[in-house]
Amino acid sequence: MQRFLAMVAEPQVGGESLMATIKIAVLPIAKVFTMCFLGFLMASKYVNILPASGRKLLNGLVFSLLLPCLIFSQLGQSITLEKMIEWWFIPVNVVLGTISGSLIGLVVAYIARPPYPFFKFTIIQIGIGNIGNVPLVLIAALCRDKSNPFGDSETCSTDGTAYISFGQWVGAIILYTYVFNMLAPPPEGTFHIEEANLPIRDPPKDGAQIPKDDSPEQVPLLTQDDLQSNSNPQKNGKMKQLLVFLYEKLKLKQILQPPIIASILAMTLGVIPFFKKLIFTSDGPLFFFTDSCIILGEAMIPCILLALGGNLVDGPGSSKLGLRTTAAIIFGRLLLVPPVGLGIVTLADKLGFLPAGDKMFRFVLLLQHSMPTSVLSGAVANLRGCGREAAAILFWVHIFAILSMAGWVTLYLNLLF
């Protein structure tokens, strides 16, 4: 007992006591929880000033404007050709995290035996973490504290945002290719088997299910009928057939979402010295545009947390996963995936793949393995017809992630400092 109290009170690596490290790790989580709770309160039936329609508009504003502005300004200011080469392991880490998480999800799914047809769904909910929104919020909250171990608040926030943004384009490709195909409905055409006997007009041949909510972002951008009519050789040439084929297979329009476009523009313009000086330096003639993006980007964090808290107001809903499967997904995502990620990052560090001495770089890599299930994977699940189950998982995973993230961040800060 005395040894434990001494360890808590005495300075550890980097001059911080264990209690001070816990405080640094827990305070950002507490800030995130507070803002989410306010969003939850605003969306509750007792206040009801952030209804479903309002949350939908707020989500669209964040995704289409505020998040791209944040990515463009922060990544563009930080990126150079040398840094792009130096940061090559960030997208690789995202891919390795998806592979390792999916393998863990496969093992958990075999043990938990989720109800048919949610086997692949279980794998995805464990394998795909939130590598963008939640880490951005966590880094911003951590860097805002002057006692953070990463030094200057502005440099800490800029570097952390740049590292996270640099991996988002890979995450989007994974979401709209791997996740989209893994969440395809079963041969019955629906995840809710008891509804399979309902009449369905012209069901899609590839098993894609159009959800009941026919809002624009829920309806597939190109239906099967459109593909068939466009691929008619009597009406279209071979070039148009090829374009339609590429569109269908690669799903380019789904991949090229506003945050990804912002990442590509920031990397393209940031690595060219002429454009970087023109747009991203404070004395450049076009810096007013970047400065406007910075102002808009600062609004992203509170807006997305209010929207996330509001989205949790519906609770677990009418999920058919069952307690065992839900608990298995939470356990796998929050407790089994992070240790494997820690092993991946540690091995990469030992092999010399990571920039020497950059602790924020390592911290971001570790965060990519420690986040709750991706919110965007829930959007894809909604598109594929299993939105209710995805909403239930997102609700419970984010509730328990408050505790797990605090624990993992405390461990990471102790290891790094």
Side-chain angles (χ1 to χ4, degrees):
M1 184 65 180
Q2 291 179 345
R3 182 179 180 182
F4 173 76
L5 293 175
M7 181 182 66
V8 170
E10 292 177 1
Q12 305 294 317
V13 179
E16 296 286 351
S17 69
L18 179 61
M19 286 302 297
T21 304
I22 293 175
K23 179 183 176 182
I24 293 172
V26 170
L27 281 180
I29 308 297
K31 295 176 184 178
V32 170
F33 175 77
T34 301
M35 287 186 277
C36 282
F37 177 76
L38 290 175
F40 179 87
L41 184 63
M42 295 299 102
S44 68
K45 62 181 181 180
Y46 303 103
V47 180
N48 198 30
I49 65 172
L50 194 61
S53 58
R55 299 196 302 272
K56 179 179 174 182
L57 292 174
L58 188 58
N59 279 319
L61 179 65
V62 168
F63 184 73
S64 301
L65 178 63
L66 303 184
L67 179 57
C69 284
L70 179 69
I71 291 174
F72 180 81
S73 59
Q74 300 288 355
L75 182 58
Q77 287 180 303
S78 302
I79 196 72
T80 63
L81 183 59
E82 293 77 12
K83 287 185 177 180
M84 184 179 287
I85 297 173
E86 190 177 27
W87 296 353
W88 66 272
F89 191 75
I90 294 178
V92 172
N93 188 59
V94 175
V95 175
L96 292 176
T98 301
I99 295 173
S100 61
S102 296
L103 291 176
I104 293 173
L106 180 64
V107 174
V108 171
Y110 271 118
I111 296 174
R113 295 182 180 179
Y116 179 81
F118 293 103
F119 187 86
K120 292 182 179 180
F121 175 90
T122 302
I123 296 174
I124 290 300
Q125 296 303 304
I126 295 175
I128 305 298
N130 193 319
I131 63 169
N133 300 339
V134 175
L136 282 173
V137 172
L138 192 60
I139 289 292
L142 178 63
C143 294
R144 191 180 297 272
D145 193 333
K146 293 182 180 180
S147 63
N148 81 82
F150 296 102
D152 178 66
S153 296
E154 185 175 350
T155 303
C156 168
S157 179
T158 301
D159 289 347
T161 302
Y163 296 155
I164 295 167
S165 303
F166 190 63
Q168 283 198 345
W169 60 275
V170 181
I173 293 175
I174 292 172
L175 273 171
Y176 290 102
T177 53
Y178 168 66
V179 175
F180 188 86
N181 285 285
M182 283 286 284
L183 293 181
E188 291 82 358
T190 175
F191 281 91
H192 308 287
I193 304 303
E194 68 274 14
E195 301 171 3
N197 57 352
L198 296 177
I200 301 176
R201 186 185 67 84
D202 298 329
K205 291 184 178 180
D206 63 350
Q209 175 73 13
I210 299 177
K212 296 178 181 179
D213 180 9
D214 58 353
S215 57
E217 65 268 45
Q218 305 301 335
V219 178
L221 297 174
L222 194 63
T223 63
Q224 187 70 20
D225 293 337
D226 295 332
L227 294 175
Q228 290 175 349
S229 62
N230 285 339
S231 60
N232 188 344
Q234 298 177 355
K235 297 181 180 180
N236 305 285
K238 292 183 177 180
M239 181 60 68
K240 194 169 184 179
Q241 294 181 46
L242 177 61
L243 293 176
V244 172
F245 175 80
L246 291 175
Y247 181 93
E248 180 187 7
K249 294 300 181 183
L250 300 180
K251 297 178 175 59
L252 295 178
K253 193 168 183 177
Q254 287 95 326
I255 294 174
L256 294 178
Q257 300 291 343
I260 310 307
I261 296 174
S263 299
I264 295 173
L265 283 176
M267 288 187 288
T268 303
L269 299 176
V271 298
I272 302 175
F274 173 76
F275 289 114
K276 191 177 187 69
K277 187 175 181 181
L278 188 69
I279 300 173
F280 295 110
T281 55
S282 57
D283 57 347
L286 297 181
F287 182 74
F288 69 91
F289 179 78
T290 301
D291 200 23
S292 300
C293 289
I294 293 174
I295 296 171
L296 289 171
E298 290 175 348
M300 189 278 296
I301 292 171
C303 287
I304 200 168
L305 286 178
L306 290 175
L308 178 59
N311 289 338
L312 298 179
V313 75
D314 295 328
S318 56
S319 171
K320 298 183 180 180
L321 293 175
L323 177 61
R324 183 178 61 184
T325 303
T326 301
I329 291 175
I330 295 171
F331 182 78
R333 178 67 238 173
L334 300 181
L335 296 180
L336 296 183
V337 172
V340 177
L342 178 60
I344 292 173
V345 176
T346 302
L347 179 61
D349 196 10
K350 296 291 185 182
L351 295 176
F353 293 161
L354 311 184
D358 193 338
K359 295 184 178 180
M360 174 57 79
F361 190 93
R362 289 158 175 77
F363 185 65
V364 168
L365 294 180
L366 292 169
L367 283 184
Q368 289 177 334
H369 296 279
S370 310
M371 294 294 103
T373 304
S374 170
V375 176
L376 288 180
S377 71
V380 175
N382 195 25
L383 181 66
R384 297 300 252 168
C386 50
R388 286 184 292 179
E389 286 70 23
I393 292 300
L394 288 174
F395 176 85
W396 290 116
V397 168
H398 280 81
I399 292 297
F400 285 97
I402 296 171
L403 299 174
S404 69
M405 285 192 298
W408 291 117
V409 169
T410 302
L411 174 63
Y412 298 154
L413 291 178
N414 272 286
L415 292 175
L416 292 173
F417 297 94

